[in-house]
């Protein structure tokens, strides 16, 4: 999952979620202002526990 966090002077931070990296990066280029692109990785999804 990919998250774009946008910070604005007049509003609280806004977050947008994307399933694909391509879509997130395309949108990231179009958004104006202070922004952060993050990839969220869940280590416990579908991974068996280590002994």
């Amino acid at each position: 999952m990919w998250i774009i966090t946008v910070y604005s002077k007049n509003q609280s931070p806004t977050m947008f979620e994307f399933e694909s990296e391509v879509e997130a990066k395309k949108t990231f280029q179009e958004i104006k202002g202070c922004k952060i692109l993050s990839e969220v990785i869940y280590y416990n999804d579908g991974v068996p526990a280590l002994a």
Side-chain angles (χ1 to χ4, degrees), residues 25-51:
K25 287 185 176 183
K26 179 182 175 192
T27 304
F28 185 79
Q29 295 297 325
E30 296 172 0
I31 294 175
K32 304 255 190 269
C34 184
K35 56 198 175 187
I36 298 171
L37 177 61
S38 306
E39 181 180 14
V40 178
I41 301 171
Y42 295 103
Y43 288 104
N44 57 350
D45 286 349
V47 178
L50 298 174

